[in-house]
């Protein structure tokens, strides 16, 4: 029983392609998928997938099942451009959440990305990015929602704001930091997301880090259609069904049975996101 805590399901294909992939995903043992938004333009596209949650009931007689789908709403840091109207964007975020409160379990994907400030300086507005993140943290705090965080080269800025706003529940998606940073994140109540990056043999630092962290502090993810595991060509979309083989890789690195990893990480996901 595996849980994919980060999957951009709306980006992997059309509605029928998604349905076909979900049946395959269920068949390999994935029970739950969390789908975050990235901008205002895909709020409705993501929530439209909620219709698929009805398939299990509609197809009981045909023995067709898909994973349970959960949804997060937020604006990714890469959409903090010079042209963004943060006040308007936050109004849209609030309104969308209030119209769909029963369907939305978290705020995400939100965060900060300083991976290459020189490369991004003409495309993204760093002060706007920080403001957008902080305002979304306040939004999460107001509605008592966990958060799904995108963090690249921005840990100090992120943890400072998370602590200031007072949020201590959620996931640091696609974690790739040091053991020291991992321990601070864990101490502050968050879980660490691991996915396709761990499957590369050259990811020696990340693999070593994984051996130093308890399974009680991690969750699994695909980030599909992105973050392809080692066995998928970069020109081919990643899919949520790949979580099974990603989990096998992580179980081997941790030297534990796959079933044990699945049970622990799914329980962690349920705790982190109140599933």
């Amino acid at each position: 029983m595996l849980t994919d805590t980060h999957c951009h399901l709306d980006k992997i294909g059309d509605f029928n392609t998604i349905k076909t992939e979900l049946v395959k995903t269920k068949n390999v043992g994935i029970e739950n998928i969390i789908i975050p938004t990235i901008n205002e333009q895909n709020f409705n596209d993501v929530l439209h997938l909620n219709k698929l949650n009805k398939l299990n009931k509609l197809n009981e007689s045909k023995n067709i099942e898909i994973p349970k789908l959960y949804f997060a709403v937020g604006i990714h840091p890469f959409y903090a451009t010079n042209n963004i109207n943060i006040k308007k964007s936050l109004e849209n975020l609030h309104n969308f959440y209030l119209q769909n409160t029963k369907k939305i379990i978290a705020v995400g994907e939100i965060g900060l990305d300083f991976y290459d400030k020189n490369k991004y300086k003409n495309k993204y507005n760093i002060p706007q990015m920080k403001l957008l993140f902080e305002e979304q943290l306040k939004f999460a705090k107001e509605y008592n929602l966990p958060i799904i965080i995108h963090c690249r080269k921005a840990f100090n800025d992120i943890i400072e704001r998370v602590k200031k706003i007072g949020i201590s529940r959620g996931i640091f998606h696609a974690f790739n930091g040091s053991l020291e940073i991992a321990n601070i994140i864990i101490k502050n109540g968050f879980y660490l997301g691991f996915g396709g990056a761990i499957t590369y043999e050259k990811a020696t630092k990340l693999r070593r880090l994984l051996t130093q962290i308890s399974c009680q502090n991690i969750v699994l993810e695909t980030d599909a259609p992105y973050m392809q595991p080692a066995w998928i060509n970069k020109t081919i979309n990643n899919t949520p069904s790949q979580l099974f083989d990603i989990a096998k890789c992580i179980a081997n690195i941790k030297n534990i049975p796959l079933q044990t990893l699945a049970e622990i990480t799914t329980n962690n996901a349920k705790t982190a996101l109140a599933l």
Side-chain angles (χ1 to χ4, degrees):
M1 183 176 70
L2 292 161
T3 296
D4 186 350
T5 61
H6 201 103
C7 174
H8 298 283
L9 191 63
D10 59 307
K11 303 294 185 182
I12 72 168
D14 61 25
F15 201 70
N16 287 329
T17 299
I18 292 170
K19 284 196 292 184
T20 300
E21 173 59 27
L22 286 175
V23 172
K24 180 180 177 181
T25 299
K26 176 72 173 184
N27 287 341
V28 297
I30 287 79
E31 296 289 331
N32 310 294
I33 300 176
I34 291 80
I35 308 160
T37 67
I38 55 172
N39 59 32
E40 298 161 75
Q41 286 68 47
N42 86 319
F43 285 0
N44 285 314
D45 290 342
V46 167
L47 262 292
H48 178 67
L49 298 176
N50 187 55
K51 292 182 178 180
L52 292 167
N53 276 324
K54 300 176 182 178
L55 282 182
N56 288 334
K57 293 182 179 179
L58 293 174
N59 291 300
E60 283 179 352
S61 61
K62 300 178 183 178
N63 198 30
I64 297 174
E65 290 185 280
I66 66 167
K68 173 69 175 175
L69 307 181
Y70 298 89
F71 305 95
V73 63
I75 302 172
H76 190 285
F78 280 179
Y79 293 90
T81 63
N82 292 322
N83 297 323
I84 190 172
N85 183 331
I86 290 182
K87 182 178 179 181
K88 182 64 176 176
S89 294
L90 291 169
E91 286 178 2
N92 292 338
L93 181 67
H94 277 261
N95 291 337
F96 189 79
Y97 173 71
L98 292 174
Q99 293 166 10
N100 298 280
T101 51
K102 293 183 179 180
K103 302 173 187 175
I104 295 169
I105 62 159
V107 178
E109 180 178 353
I110 65 173
L112 298 173
D113 193 312
F114 303 156
Y115 182 69
D116 190 337
K117 288 185 178 181
N118 290 326
K119 178 182 177 181
Y120 295 159
K121 67 181 179 181
N122 295 322
K123 188 174 182 181
Y124 309 119
N125 185 312
I126 299 299
Q128 290 280 76
M129 187 186 289
K130 291 180 179 180
L131 178 60
L132 177 65
F133 177 55
E134 190 161 327
E135 291 300 318
Q136 289 186 99
L137 290 178
K138 292 176 183 176
F139 166 74
K141 180 71 172 179
E142 178 180 355
Y143 294 106
N144 193 30
L145 293 168
I147 55 179
I148 299 172
I149 295 179
H150 173 107
C151 175
R152 288 207 303 177
K153 303 293 183 181
F155 171 72
N156 289 335
D157 289 85
I158 283 180
I159 206 69
E160 175 188 339
R161 286 165 173 78
V162 166
K163 291 169 73 172
K164 181 174 74 172
I165 303 300
I167 298 177
S168 57
R169 186 161 57 100
I171 295 168
F172 272 69
H173 147 65
F175 183 73
N176 191 18
S178 67
L179 179 60
E180 179 184 5
I181 289 175
N183 286 333
I184 294 171
I185 290 170
I186 292 165
K187 184 178 179 180
N188 280 276
F190 292 88
Y191 290 84
L192 308 173
F194 288 91
I198 201 75
T199 65
Y200 291 85
E201 291 186 7
K202 65 181 181 181
T204 53
K205 290 183 179 179
L206 189 60
R207 289 185 168 201
R208 183 167 61 250
L209 172 72
L210 184 61
T211 65
Q212 297 171 309
I213 298 171
S214 168
C215 287
Q216 301 295 335
N217 302 121
I218 70 172
V219 294
L220 309 182
E221 61 174 66
T222 60
D223 198 22
Y226 317 111
M227 205 188 295
Q228 292 89 340
W231 50 85
I232 294 183
N233 189 288
K234 295 294 185 182
T235 63
I236 300 174
N237 278 349
N238 188 13
T239 60
S241 58
Q242 298 300 322
L243 189 69
F244 179 76
D245 287 324
I246 291 171
K248 284 201 299 184
C249 178
I250 291 174
N252 287 337
I253 293 170
K254 298 291 287 180
N255 195 28
I256 61 171
L258 176 60
Q259 184 62 30
T260 301
L261 177 73
E263 291 175 358
I264 292 173
T265 55
T266 287
N267 285 334
N268 292 346
K270 290 179 178 179
T271 300
L273 302 174
L275 301 184

